[in-house]
Amino acid sequence: MLGIALLFLLALTASAQAPSTGGYVGSEVCKACHSDIWVNFYKNPHYKSIAAGTLPPESTGCEGCHGPGKGHVEARGGKTTIPRAFSLMPTKGILDTCLTCHAKDLSRANIRRSSHTLADVVCSNCHSIHKSTTPKFLLARKQADLCYSCHSNVRAQFEMPFKHRVNEGFMQCSDCHNPHGAFAPTTRVGLRPRMMEQHGNEESCVRCHTDKRGPFAFEHPPVKVEGCEGCHVPHGSMNARMLTRPAVFTMCLECHNGAGNFGRQGDGIKTQSGSHNMFDPKYRNCTTCHVKIHGSNTAPNFFR
Amino acid sequence: MIAMRALAHASILVANLLGVAVAQQVVAPTPESVGTPRGEDIGGYNVVHSFETGYRFADIGGNRGKYRSDVNFRNGLRLLGSSLSVNSKNGQGGMFDEIILNTLGLGNDPYQFANLRIQKNGLYRYDMLWRLNEYYNPGLTISDGRHFRDTSRRLQDHDLILLPQSKVQFRFGYSGNTQDGPGLSTVQLFDSRGDEFAPFADIHRVRNEFRIGNDIELAGFKFSWLRAWENFKEDTSYLLGSSPGANPEDLTTLDGFRRIEPQHGNSPFWRGNLHGERKSWAVNARITYVGARRNFILDETAVGVVRNATNRQIVAGGNATRPTTAGDFSISIFPGERLSVVNNTSVYSTRINGDSLYSEVNNNRPSNQVYFQFLGIRTITNSTDINYRASSMIGLYGGYHYSSRVIRSTENFSIPAFDIAEGVTARQENHVHSGLAGLRLRPAKPLTISLDAEMSRADRPFAPIADRNFHALRGRAQYKAKSLLLSAGYRQNYNTNSVSLSAHSSRARNYSFDASWVPRGWLAFDAGYSKIHLDTVSGIAFFAGGNLNTGLSSIYISNIHAGNFGARFGIGKRADLYLGYSITKDTGDGRSSAAPPGTTDPVLLLLLPAQTFPLSFQSPLARLSVRLTQKVRWNAGWQFYNYHEKFLVGAAAQNYRANTGYTSVLWSF
């Protein structure tokens, strides 16, 4: 019933687009006063719409984003006379204005339900159209600085001894995350993980860690069910393999305890065999023998 | 008007200064620029170029392997950073309208990077990203250093879009990823009572991906498809000569070991996406299919002595497949300016099949085994999110998510020579209900407050540490004025997953406070503090001393205090000085030794050292940058790293201290 109602609503609103209301004066008029913005605007990706010279006035130049400028010109300036002055607009208005052109990109397919949108973090919080520090994506600051300005707990993780090299400039947050919202995760269930960019339809980790992707004849099931975060802390960790525990054997034993209805057979994840003697230090480094712990093609116990 | 513009400029300057000050980075390359280079106008193009070149040094004391694993900066000449931009001044260039090139760390830094964009408006856009990571890890924490890797990983991505501004676009792409270098692995020979040996591994992995796609806009909808072919091959080989093994008292010795295990495969990929958006609604539908396959063989020969002379050869071969389909449909409606409702349904289905024929010959006694495994995962998720903006001061949002996951498993095993065949099949289903509610407040323009809470219930999680009864609380407040930024945040994630004979509890709490202050154009400060607390208790069972020990708990307590401070001074008109300090300290559970003195219970001696891992990692830095001319800067910097573990957990201390630094010249024109 909900689907039928939504489709009916779609049909009713399909032709409800607002037509152009006129009042456009063209970017040439704007530059007379806003020469400071205009002087380098040819370096701005949005300049393409002006250079093309074929787009209608509501889709090009200054008025493509800020709306028709006739009233602003007649009032001889003033922020309140700009139809779409971003510093005065409600956040949804900013989002809607940018998505007029940018909604079509696949990377923004989930922006309406993203955590950022729900928290009122919209385009202008991260992007600066006229004073950007990065010419490609018009970010207001370097990407990591932008993300850290809200996610300071994540910054603390990237300052740990072992981490993915974001501060060093080798990686960016967007290598793994989509700040515009992501498709439903393929590992775990529920609301998390959030905003994870996918590689095909798998976790983004395997894009670089190609040897962990498989498929393997013998998969370690939690890799596909719980995801890499089941054992690893991806931002940074006190452990040199970014494991969730400082000693590998406790991490393994916390699942391999034989209890409950867990695991692929649903009867508990099996405990280690009786041949192990944990009082002997050599058995405390599980991956010394179970070397192919992410998945193996020849050994169900991941020996080779 | 002029006053307003000046004010806007000032606020942007302050914002940029705040941005510069927010995050402490590695000392080089120098973030300060010479000025705003105007570049040169050449033939209708504006060209701006800068590069920073200099010498980087490092003086390391203590555990060099751990330093290389964590930091890895070393001595040598470097092109620390460079940038080039060429822009057509009227957007009507000949072969191109824009070239942007940025590089980082070229010359032998462990982290190297280059990106390039070339585009001609309306005709094409080409993006390239190249990265190199000199990776070093001695595997101290997973095998007491017996694992080791000293490899280079090169990644490259190339994307070409034809007709990027038209309603019909064509996409072509290539991505490459290679990993080469020496390493050590370990192998247990000849059985579980034997010894560990560390064969040399010649690591060689190559991944190539080719992409082709097309976007079509029609009747207000955009349809895009992408076809990709990923090829992967790994040809790592392992070799070891005569070795007594890791445990000298053990009688097992090795005369020789050799293993080759090539695995090659591909992952063809399809993706289709349909998107449409109007003023009051939007839809997006996506489907992806990845049909992954790997073919493998293994040939391993080991000759040695275990209680008596042993020769063993293992030959295995087979293939593994994993077709995966994911579908996703979102519909958004906007009944008014204040309300957004988004409903999303997604389906994920994967089937992992593996066949492996395993043959082992021990002193001419053959055995032959066949393994077959199947793992299938199907997840259906439906979610509805509502976002309501009551006024400019108050906003509310909430959501309900439901997931159903089915996991099917088959494990078959047979030994044809003895007519033995066993098979186990199983099916399980997990249902998850999650709710989210949030509140946004803006009581005054510079002040924003956001609060949200999330609760989730799963009836049959897959793993004992997975989410079963989960809740999260998050709160954040930010005050942002022209020269001052203050923010505070709190996050809490609690989970319990307790069943018969097993209890798991995880409690994580994060607190953070940050401040940035720019009292003058030449003076900026920033400081931050975060506390990351985690305590977990999990039921475990293990064999030790010939007994199965049950009813014990694995406890882990971590209290990480992370602080950073930065101050930037403009000295006169020519010099900039930056001083920074960061410290990350895990105080653990407050104990001063791995186990209390006098502890003799072997179980406690096993578990206590793994319950906490107190350490500190601190890094002060200083950087001076002097503008020599309108186009040239001289820079020098120093950064110190100090890693210190409070007590020994592994076989060897990993502590190190390192003085690193650089001096460079930055030239912009």
Side-chain angles (χ1 to χ4, degrees), chain B residues 27-32 49-55 78-83 103-106 623 625 633-636 662-668:
Chain B
V27 68
T30 312
E32 280 85 10
H49 191 192
S50 79
F51 62 86
E52 180 182 3
T53 186
Y55 187 82
R78 305 282 187 271
L79 178 58
L80 293 162
S82 75
S83 71
T103 72
L104 178 84
L106 300 186
R623 179 174 53 233
S625 177
R633 264 184 185 270
W634 169 79
N635 315 289
Y662 79 110
T663 181
S664 71
V665 173
L666 172 64
W667 184 25
S668 300

Side-chain angles (χ1 to χ4, degrees), chain B residues 403-558:
Chain B
S403 294
S404 165
R405 182 181 65 201
V406 175
I407 297 176
R408 291 175 297 136
S409 168
T410 302
E411 290 178 280
N412 280 333
F413 164 75
S414 68
I415 305 177
F418 299 97
D419 200 24
I420 295 174
E422 294 177 3
V424 181
T425 61
R427 182 183 190 278
Q428 58 184 285
E429 197 161 341
N430 182 29
H431 303 276
V432 180
H433 302 267
S434 303
L436 172 73
L439 172 67
R440 301 182 302 264
L441 298 171
R442 187 184 280 257
K445 192 170 183 186
L447 181 62
T448 54
I449 299 169
S450 63
L451 305 165
D452 73 50
E454 176 188 337
M455 184 174 285
S456 179
R457 294 288 179 268
D459 61 4
R460 188 167 181 176
F462 184 79
I465 59 163
D467 295 342
R468 179 187 290 271
N469 298 315
F470 173 85
H471 84 253
L473 299 173
R474 288 175 285 265
R476 186 168 176 274
Q478 185 183 70
Y479 177 85
K480 191 174 185 179
K482 283 173 191 165
S483 60
L484 182 65
L485 176 67
L486 300 171
S487 65
Y490 175 73
R491 298 166 66 91
Q492 171 180 309
N493 290 349
Y494 280 19
N495 174 47
T496 59
N497 184 356
S498 298
V499 295
S500 166
L501 302 177
S502 169
H504 172 77
S505 162
S506 170
R507 299 186 299 179
R509 295 186 295 273
N510 295 355
Y511 313 82
S512 59
F513 307 93
D514 292 278
S516 293
W517 183 39
V518 187
R520 298 282 187 276
W522 54 270
L523 185 61
F525 300 99
D526 80 283
Y529 168 76
S530 293
K531 183 183 176 188
I532 302 173
H533 168 85
L534 173 68
D535 64 82
T536 64
V537 181
S538 304
I540 56 173
F542 57 87
F543 284 93
N547 300 314
L548 176 62
N549 295 269
T550 58
L552 299 169
S553 291
S554 163
I555 297 169
Y556 177 57
I557 299 173
S558 170

Side-chain angles (χ1 to χ4, degrees), chain A residues 90 120, chain B residues 338 389-395 440-444:
Chain A
D120 250 4
Chain B
R338 295 182 174 184
R389 298 164 182 85
S391 70
S392 61
M393 295 173 62
I394 299 176
R440 301 182 302 264
L441 298 171
R442 187 184 280 257

Side-chain angles (χ1 to χ4, degrees), chain B residues 339-379:
Chain B
L339 183 63
S340 303
V341 181
V342 184
N343 183 269
N344 173 266
T345 301
S346 62
V347 178
Y348 168 77
S349 175
T350 186
R351 306 187 312 277
I352 306 164
N353 281 300
D355 270 316
S356 183
L357 175 62
Y358 179 95
S359 302
E360 182 175 322
V361 181
N362 283 308
N363 288 337
N364 295 323
R365 293 197 307 275
S367 69
N368 188 292
Q369 299 160 351
V370 180
Y371 298 103
F372 165 78
Q373 289 218 343
F374 170 82
L375 183 70
I377 306 167
R378 190 271 290 147
T379 306

Side-chain angles (χ1 to χ4, degrees), chain B residues 100-115:
Chain B
I100 300 172
L101 173 66
N102 293 292
T103 72
L104 178 84
L106 300 186
N108 212 19
D109 257 357
Y111 318 109
Q112 300 180 39
F113 162 94
N115 75 28

